[in-house]
Amino acid sequence: MPTVTMNAATDPMIGRMIDQRYRVRSRIARGGMATVYLATDVRLERRVAIKIMHGHLADDVAFRNRFIQEARSAARLSHPSVVGVYDQGAEDDAAYIVMEYIPGITLRDLLQEHTALTSEQALDILRAVLGGLASAHRAGIVHRDLKPENVLLADDGRIKLGDFGLARAASANTATGAALLGTIAYLSPELVTRGVADTRSDIYAVGIMLYEMLTGEQPYKGDQPMQIAYQHANDTVPAPGLANPSVPRELDELVLWATARNPDDRPRDAKTMLDALAGVEGRIADPNSRTAVIRPLNTTSVLPRDDASGRNTTSARPPTPGRNDGSGRNDGPDRNGGPDRGDSDDTTVLGDRRSGVHPQPSGGRGAFSGSQAVGGGGAVAPGADRHGQRPTGPNGRRHSGQALSPAAERLADKSGRRRKRGWIALAIIVVLVLVAGGVAWYLGPGPGGNVRIPAVTGKSVSEARQLLEARGLHTDRATSSRHDADIDEGEVSATRPSATATVRKGTSVRLVVSSGPRLISLPAIVGQPLSTVTAALDDDFSLEKPSYRFDPDAAKDTVLAVEGVNEDGSGLDLTTVQTYPERQPIRLTVSLGAVPDVVGKTAADATTTLQGVGLTVSDQQTGKYSDDVPTGQVIATTIQDDPVVEGSQVVLTVSKGPAPISLPDVTGKTISQAASTLEALGLKVSYPDCTNILCSFYDWKSSLPVSGMDPGANATVHKGDTVTLSYKQ
């Protein structure tokens, strides 16, 4: 992890003490979501790397919660090939993660310096990456951002995988344009086309990195990110051996397997690919599996011969042109008629030295000196060779009669040699055919051949045993078990070695049987905020899209109910159980808060308010007279749906003002009677005071009749209106 020093004037974080514990020393790197600094843990007196989220992202509450939650997930990992997470927290609205500091370089730096790596170097790095990634996959964590920049090569030789968990949080603020080129180069086809990722998406990125390590370049190139993404979605990654012929065929197959366009054709997770890698390394390292040139059994050898002085010499000269005319006749002497001077390259047939019998040379006339010729003088008897032995005919049979003529002797020797060579050649061919056939049978259908372990996931134990034994493999009597959320209990979850691994026939394979999904304790859910419940359940269960409803008694975004599924598919109220199987679906019901109170608002304002929370307002309004609510304002709301959800229809009841009154005729009634009648209708009554002096001596209101009214009789009035009475004094 190279350190880039920055001064305090350039970066205000340098020199700052975070959480009264971490003193920032220098800046290491800056990304789209956070900046990484070298810091000192003053409490433990050690160097650490601290990743601080950018300030402009801190305002996004969902992003911040995701950042912290994913840091907790990464902290659960404990593996020698994973960068350790020590601490996390927030200060001044800036979230941070404290990680292990790895002094060294990244895989990207190594590739830029050396271009292509050797097969051994690539396998060393691949083994460490898959080891760390397998630990994450077992913990249910998908990296989602594998690339050479996240593979750290420490100065002491350790290989670490970093930036776990941040790829999922990156979905809240995805970069675009040229800045995304480094990441798009490793995106799987399903991420490009559907935006979904699982463990097999990480495997695709590992395959692309292996291709780049072996060839020094990425398989797809383009000036724009869209061009590279299109190739990932529509093309098949080529074998690295096409770009670098020195790449072993086994690594070509490993790259093609990991980068298959269909996720189902790739290794299921990093552990599966790591198991297969062990077999690949064994085949590459095993010299018996390499192509070799085998010396044939009938190789021509140079044999020693005795010269005239009795010394043992070796003739290594090639045959002399012209000494053999192709008819089997060996001239012996040179063209001038002189005898052979002992430098002939004729093939000599050796006899049994133990019995002292030496066959004669294969030459004809001129093969002996003049003292040994037929009819010549010398110490050797006629018809015997120079060793005192009778000459032999074809097939080594001795002639008991007189010696053959030189022409007959040459013909007999030539025929014998041809016959003998034919039988020897036939025997050698038969032996070679038998050996080659035996080797081919042993390494093919025989017990020494290789076979690929078939995929038996999801099958019963008996069916899996039959399939494996049909391939010439043995199955352990004992089986292992493990929790598996995708495979039914009692069915085969995996094999050891894993499926698609190539092994020798007769290899023992152990079946791993599913014990069903793991049961996990449920936290408090109902009455809790949605963000808290999501953070607690998202890693272990499959959260479906929540359903929302209005509730007058619960604040907005409060969980009202939680439901799972039974084995038969029926709904299960999770408030009635304490544990629930991992990765099973959970559906939350969340409060939208109370329906807004719009009574007293105008119809237009009420409509805007209700539509703002997702409700629809009926065009058919209800009008109602009201003495208390002014005309045009909402008196009440009516909703037929129960429960009330987004899209429910609201009917408004709007005030029409006070009810109209038809004014009765009160003329002829006394003033008191007329006033009582009108006031009972909610009207106000006025009349002039009596100015006659006689009015002071009696109750004139109860005696004087009404002679007129304003408004007049049968006029339309409303409560609160004033009616004026007149009378004669």
Side-chain angles (χ1 to χ4, degrees):
M1 185 179 292
T3 301
V4 181
T5 58
M6 304 287 290
N7 55 45
T10 304
D11 192 331
M13 290 299 301
I14 297 177
R16 178 176 171 181
M17 180 72 77
I18 297 178
D19 200 18
Q20 300 299 314
R21 178 173 180 177
Y22 305 106
R23 183 172 297 280
V24 179
R25 298 298 184 186
S26 60
R27 192 165 86 180
I28 298 174
R30 180 179 175 88
M33 298 177 298
T35 302
V36 182
Y37 297 91
L38 173 62
T40 300
D41 184 346
V42 297
R43 186 178 302 170
L44 299 179
E45 296 183 353
R46 65 178 177 183
R47 291 192 300 173
V48 296
I50 183 167
K51 177 168 293 193
I52 302 176
M53 185 174 62
H54 293 331
H56 69 277
L57 299 177
D59 295 334
D60 189 335
V61 177
F63 181 89
R64 178 179 174 138
N65 291 338
R66 193 67 171 177
F67 184 88
I68 295 173
Q69 178 61 30
E70 295 296 349
R72 293 173 180 169
S73 299
R76 295 203 309 265
L77 299 180
S78 178
H79 192 274
S81 296
V82 175
V83 175
V85 175
Y86 298 148
D87 191 10
Q88 69 86 21
E91 184 176 79
D92 296 336
D93 295 331
Y96 65 85
I97 301 174
V98 181
M99 304 175 295
E100 176 185 9
Y101 174 65
I102 309 296
I105 63 174
T106 66
L107 177 57
R108 173 64 67 203
D109 299 328
L110 183 66
L111 291 175
Q112 290 175 347
E113 181 178 353
H114 296 284
T115 312
L117 307 182
T118 65
S119 298
E120 291 77 10
Q121 292 171 329
L123 287 175
D124 286 342
I125 295 174
L126 180 64
R127 189 186 313 108
V129 170
L130 288 176
L133 194 59
S135 175
H137 287 177
R138 282 195 300 269
I141 298 175
V142 181
H143 194 292
R144 304 192 187 196
D145 195 22
L146 285 171
K147 53 188 175 183
E149 286 82 355
N150 291 336
V151 179
L152 309 180
L153 310 178
D155 293 336
D156 58 7
R158 293 175 297 160
I159 302 173
K160 296 269 189 175
L161 188 58
D163 267 359
F164 266 95
L166 299 184
R168 297 183 66 182
S171 61
N173 188 24
T174 303
T176 57
L180 198 57
L181 274 172
T183 300
I184 279 188
Y186 307 92
L187 291 184
S188 61
E190 62 271 17
L191 262 174
V192 173
T193 58
R194 293 181 284 123
V196 297
D198 56 17
T199 55
R200 298 168 298 181
S201 304
D202 283 348
I203 295 300
Y204 184 89
V206 170
I208 298 296
M209 284 200 296
L210 178 57
Y211 181 99
E212 189 172 359
M213 287 191 286
L214 294 172
T215 65
E217 60 183 14
Q218 296 168 353
Y220 300 135
K221 300 177 181 178
D223 296 331
Q224 298 295 327
M226 186 58 67
Q227 296 175 348
I228 299 176
Y230 179 84
Q231 294 177 76
H232 277 292
N234 296 278
D235 296 343
T236 299
V237 174
L242 298 177
N244 183 1
S246 65
V247 175
R249 177 177 57 84
E250 290 83 357
L251 293 185
D252 279 346
E253 295 175 352
L254 192 63
V255 170
L256 296 179
W257 184 30
T259 58
R261 287 173 57 192
N262 187 346
D264 294 335
D265 295 335
R266 300 180 209 143
R268 179 179 176 182
D269 51 24
K271 180 62 169 62
T272 303
M273 189 172 179
L274 186 61
D275 292 340
L277 182 63
V280 170
E281 290 178 315
R283 292 198 299 277
I284 292 178
D286 185 3
N288 294 326
S289 67
R290 297 173 183 256
T291 302
V293 179
I294 302 175
R295 183 180 298 277
L297 298 178
N298 56 347
T299 303
T300 302
S301 301
V302 180
L303 303 177
R305 61 182 175 82
D306 295 335
D307 61 8
S309 64
R311 289 176 301 155
N312 188 10
T313 62
T314 302
S315 174
R317 291 176 52 196
T320 304
R323 305 294 289 273
N324 194 322
D325 62 3
S327 64
R329 184 168 53 85
N330 198 327
D331 294 340
D334 59 17
R335 292 182 181 277
N336 296 326
D340 188 0
R341 290 177 171 80
D343 58 354
S344 172
D345 294 321
D346 293 337
T347 301
T348 301
V349 180
L350 303 179
D352 187 355
R353 293 183 180 272
R354 293 175 298 176
S355 62
V357 178
H358 302 276
Q360 70 177 40
S362 61
R365 184 166 47 90
F368 299 97
S369 64
S371 63
Q372 295 169 324
V374 176
V380 182
D385 61 15
R386 61 180 174 176
H387 299 288
Q389 301 295 331
R390 288 279 181 181
T392 58
N395 301 325
R397 292 196 302 268
R398 299 182 180 276
H399 292 278
S400 58
Q402 64 181 25
L404 297 174
S405 66
E409 184 178 350
R410 288 197 302 273
L411 182 61
D413 287 344
K414 180 178 178 181
S415 176
R417 285 197 305 273
R418 284 183 175 178
R419 186 179 296 110
K420 191 172 184 179
R421 286 198 300 268
W423 282 107
I424 292 174
L426 179 61
I428 292 174
I429 291 173
V430 171
V431 171
L432 288 177
V433 170
L434 292 176
V435 171
V439 171
W441 174 83
Y442 181 83
L443 297 178
N450 291 336
V451 64
R452 177 170 289 184
I453 296 178
V456 295
T457 300
K459 299 186 180 299
S460 66
V461 174
S462 59
E463 290 176 335
R465 291 185 189 275
Q466 292 176 359
L467 288 173
L468 292 170
E469 291 172 357
R471 296 285 184 95
L473 300 168
H474 295 300
T475 53
D476 288 350
R477 287 185 173 274
T479 60
S480 301
S481 63
R482 73 175 185 184
H483 291 291
D484 195 316
D486 299 323
I487 305 300
D488 292 338
E489 184 177 357
E491 295 182 349
V492 176
S493 174
T495 58
R496 295 176 182 166
S498 61
T500 71
T502 300
V503 297
R504 292 191 179 277
K505 288 185 177 179
T507 298
S508 182
V509 179
R510 170 164 288 197
L511 299 178
V512 181
V513 180
S514 171
S515 57
R518 181 167 50 101
L519 292 178
I520 300 176
S521 297
L522 292 172
I525 299 176
V526 174
Q528 300 298 316
L530 176 61
S531 58
T532 302
V533 174
T534 300
L537 301 180
D538 194 29
D539 289 338
D540 298 322
F541 304 102
S542 176
L543 291 181
E544 297 182 353
K545 185 177 180 180
S547 60
Y548 292 86
R549 76 184 188 202
F550 290 91
D551 192 303
D553 300 322
K556 184 178 180 181
D557 291 333
T558 300
V559 177
L560 300 174
V562 56
E563 186 180 58
V565 293
N566 287 305
E567 293 183 357
D568 59 0
S570 60
L572 171 64
D573 184 359
L574 295 185
T575 60
T576 63
V577 297
Q578 296 181 343
T579 59
Y580 189 60
E582 65 174 334
R583 296 176 64 181
Q584 294 302 301
I586 290 181
R587 185 180 181 88
L588 301 174
T589 301
V590 183
S591 172
L592 291 171
V595 175
D597 184 10
V598 295
V599 173
K601 292 186 177 183
T602 65
D605 290 343
T607 299
T608 301
T609 300
L610 294 173
Q611 290 177 344
V613 296
L615 297 170
T616 60
V617 179
S618 174
D619 295 334
Q620 304 297 324
Q621 297 180 357
T622 300
K624 184 177 181 181
Y625 294 108
S626 174
D627 297 332
D628 302 322
V629 180
T631 303
Q633 293 184 1
V634 176
I635 298 175
T637 57
T638 304
I639 304 176
Q640 297 294 333
D641 295 341
D642 187 19
V644 181
V645 298
E646 289 183 341
S648 292
Q649 189 177 72
V650 181
V651 178
L652 301 178
T653 300
V654 181
S655 173
K656 297 166 60 175
I661 301 173
S662 179
L663 191 63
D665 186 4
V666 294
T667 57
K669 293 184 178 182
T670 65
I671 295 174
S672 297
Q673 292 174 340
S676 297
T677 301
L678 296 176
E679 288 174 352
L681 296 176
L683 300 173
K684 296 178 181 180
V685 179
S686 68
Y687 44 85
D689 289 335
C690 181
T691 59
N692 192 320
I693 193 172
L694 296 177
C695 290
S696 58
F697 295 102
Y698 65 100
D699 184 7
W700 60 274
K701 295 179 183 179
S702 301
S703 302
L704 297 178
V706 175
S707 61
M709 51 189 300
D710 184 22
N714 299 322
T716 300
V717 294
H718 298 86
K719 284 185 179 181
D721 289 351
T722 300
V723 179
T724 302
L725 301 178
S726 59
Y727 58 93
K728 293 180 180 181
Q729 297 186 18

